[in-house]
């Protein structure tokens, strides 16, 4: 009997030791909440694109007559004034054509003088009945034809004078010569197309960027929006401008639809050169010094599974709300929201600045191996009984 009592006590002691060993080795599960502060900040949203820098006003200078370039008075980067002579074509043939036209006009004028005098004689004789009506009409017709020939010859003279004037090429604007396409002695032919001789930019301190914006982003681009851009030539400099025009015509290349957006680019220091590629950032949404909160705070929702026995939930009916943890109470606050860029959302009212609100939670411990932490990625597969952070109300309803 005494042995049985001793054995029983020993068994009870072993069982107690085993229980405490198992209980002490099991890691306790803890819930840690993530928080953010409602505070004033800047909310921005932007799109990026590439574009080409070009002068706001540039003129291609050509010639309407053919000939040999006899003189060039400007070169690359030459500054020119409106009306300044920048090139001349050989005028030999053009001068000869003018003299021929003037001679034809003189001959036509002489013929007109004769036919007019002849017409006057026949009219006098016809009025006296001394010539037939047929002779009178013939004289009148010759006189009218001579008048028309004078008009035609005068127009030929004017055309020859104009062509001779085209041989002297002047600058149409004040500006800088960007390109020169001919050299002295070169022949230019204006039979079908006007030959390009020079390209003149009006003002290199006033440039612009022509950016190609994808069709998925063009809806957010408006005139007046702020733009920041860089160029590879000056990678440390950030240039500023604004959207001045959104062009309606679409360009399709390799099944990609883009729209041209014109951006002002002040260039007082002349760093920006025509043809440079600009890496453009257009701020389609920009509001500074506004009360805002991380957008994920609006998606957070406490669930019963993460509550301890002492904690409780005080919810409100509202389309937008944030949660605070006040002691052992999860309290919902209905808020009015404004603009959002996906990461931050403007708060128009419903909660005071400086308030800490919940954005998510992390569960550690439990059956997980010591030192490991449960993740909150909603897209990763999880064990059915593993509790997790769920700050998306739609996932909670599922």
């Amino acid at each position: 009997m005494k042995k049985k009592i001793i054995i029983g006590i020993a068994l009870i002691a072993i069982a107690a030791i085993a229980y405490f060993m198992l209980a002490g080795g099991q890691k306790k599960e803890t819930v840690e909440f993530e928080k953010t502060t409602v505070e004033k900040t800047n909310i921005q949203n932007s799109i990026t694109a590439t574009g080409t820098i070009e002068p706001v006003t540039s003129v291609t200078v050509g010639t309407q007559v053919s000939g040999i370039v006899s003189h060039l008075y400007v070169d690359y980067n030459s500054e020119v004034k409106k009306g300044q002579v920048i090139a001349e074509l050989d005028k030999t043939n053009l001068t000869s054509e003018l003299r021929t036209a003037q001679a034809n006009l003189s001959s036509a004028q002489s013929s007109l003088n004769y036919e007019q005098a002849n017409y006057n004689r026949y009219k006098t004789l016809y009025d006296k009945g001394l010539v037939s009506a047929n002779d009178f009409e013939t004289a009148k017709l010759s006189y009218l034809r001579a008048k028309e020939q004078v008009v035609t010859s005068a127009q030929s003279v004017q055309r020859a004078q104009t062509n001779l004037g085209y041989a002297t090429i002047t600058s149409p604007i004040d500006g800088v010569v960007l390109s020169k396409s001919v050299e002295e002695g070169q022949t230019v032919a204006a039979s079908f197309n006007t030959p390009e001789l020079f390209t003149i930019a009006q003002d290199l301190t006033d440039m612009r960027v022509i950016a190609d914006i994808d069709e998925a982003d063009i809806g957010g681009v408006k005139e007046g929006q702020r733009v920041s851009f860089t160029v590879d030539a000056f990678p440390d400099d950030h240039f500023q401008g604004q959207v001045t025009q959104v062009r309606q015509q679409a360009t399709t290349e390799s099944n990609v639809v883009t729209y041209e957006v014109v951006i002002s680019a002040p260039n007082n220091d002349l760093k920006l050169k025509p043809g440079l590629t600009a890496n453009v950032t257009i701020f389609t949404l920009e509001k500074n010094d506004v009360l805002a909160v991380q957008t994920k705070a609006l998606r957070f929702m406490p669930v019963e599974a993460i509550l301890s026995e002492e904690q409780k939930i005080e919810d409100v009916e509202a389309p937008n709300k944030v949660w605070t943890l006040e002691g052992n109470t999860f309290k919902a606050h209905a808020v009015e929201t404004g603009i959002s860029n996906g990461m931050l959302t403007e708060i128009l009212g419903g909660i005071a600045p400086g308030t800490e609100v919940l954005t998510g939670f992390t569960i550690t411990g439990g059956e997980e191996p010591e030192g490991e932490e449960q993740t909150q990625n909603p897209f990763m597969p999880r064990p059915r009984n593993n509790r997790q952070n769920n700050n998306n109300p739609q996932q909670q309803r599922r």
Side-chain angles (χ1 to χ4, degrees), residues 8-272:
I9 293 173
L11 292 174
I12 293 172
I14 292 172
I17 292 172
Y19 171 78
F20 283 110
M21 289 180 63
L22 291 174
Q26 192 172 22
K27 192 174 181 180
K28 186 178 180 181
E29 187 179 81
T30 60
V31 180
E32 296 180 358
F33 291 96
E34 300 172 3
K35 299 180 181 180
T36 188
T37 303
V38 180
E39 58 187 357
K40 288 191 174 183
T41 185
N42 300 333
I43 299 180
Q44 295 178 339
N45 199 16
S46 62
I47 61 174
T48 58
T50 58
T52 303
I53 295 175
E54 62 181 39
V56 172
T57 302
S58 62
V59 178
T60 299
V61 181
T63 175
Q64 293 185 342
V65 295
S66 301
I68 298 173
V69 179
S70 59
H71 295 92
L72 289 178
Y73 300 105
V74 295
D75 203 345
Y76 291 95
N77 300 333
S78 297
E79 294 185 1
V80 296
K81 298 294 183 181
K82 183 177 180 179
Q84 176 182 336
V85 177
I86 56 178
E88 284 185 334
L89 302 182
D90 181 69
K91 300 179 181 179
T92 303
N93 292 336
L94 297 173
T95 302
S96 176
E97 290 176 1
L98 175 60
R99 290 174 179 172
T100 300
Q102 290 172 336
N104 291 336
L105 175 60
S106 179
S107 176
Q109 186 64 50
S110 298
S111 297
L112 175 61
N113 294 337
Y114 169 78
E115 294 296 341
Q116 185 175 10
N118 190 51
Y119 168 72
N120 291 335
R121 287 193 300 270
Y122 269 87
K123 187 176 186 304
T124 302
L125 295 173
Y126 177 73
D127 291 340
K128 294 179 179 181
L130 300 177
V131 294
S132 65
N134 184 54
D135 291 340
F136 172 69
E137 293 295 337
T138 300
K140 182 178 180 180
L141 178 61
S142 297
Y143 167 63
L144 294 176
R145 285 178 176 174
K147 287 181 65 175
E148 293 174 354
Q149 185 60 42
V150 169
V151 172
T152 301
S153 298
Q155 291 177 344
S156 297
V157 171
Q158 184 178 2
R159 183 168 56 252
Q161 288 175 334
T162 302
N163 288 338
L164 182 60
Y166 286 151
T168 301
I169 300 165
T170 60
S171 174
I173 58 174
D174 296 344
V176 177
V177 177
L178 296 183
S179 67
K180 181 184 72 171
S181 304
V182 293
E183 297 293 342
E184 288 187 1
Q186 183 175 340
T187 301
V188 293
S191 301
F192 300 102
N193 298 317
T194 300
E196 178 181 326
L197 305 183
F198 304 94
T199 300
I200 301 177
Q202 186 174 32
D203 185 6
L204 292 182
T205 63
D206 186 17
M207 305 288 276
R208 65 181 181 181
V209 180
I210 306 298
D212 296 323
I213 307 299
D214 189 84
E215 60 178 327
D217 299 324
I218 194 65
V221 180
K222 301 290 186 297
E223 292 184 7
Q225 291 174 339
R226 184 172 70 91
V227 179
S228 175
F229 64 92
T230 61
V231 294
D232 292 340
F234 304 98
D236 297 329
D237 293 341
H238 287 78
F239 302 91
Q240 303 297 320
Q242 68 176 16
V243 176
T244 59
Q245 185 182 52
V246 180
R247 295 178 176 173
Q248 301 297 326
Q249 183 177 4
T251 301
T252 303
E253 185 175 350
S254 301
N255 294 326
V256 177
V257 180
T258 58
Y259 292 84
E260 287 187 345
V261 172
V262 182
I263 300 164
S264 65
N267 188 33
N268 294 328
D269 54 5
L270 298 179
K271 285 185 175 181
L272 299 176

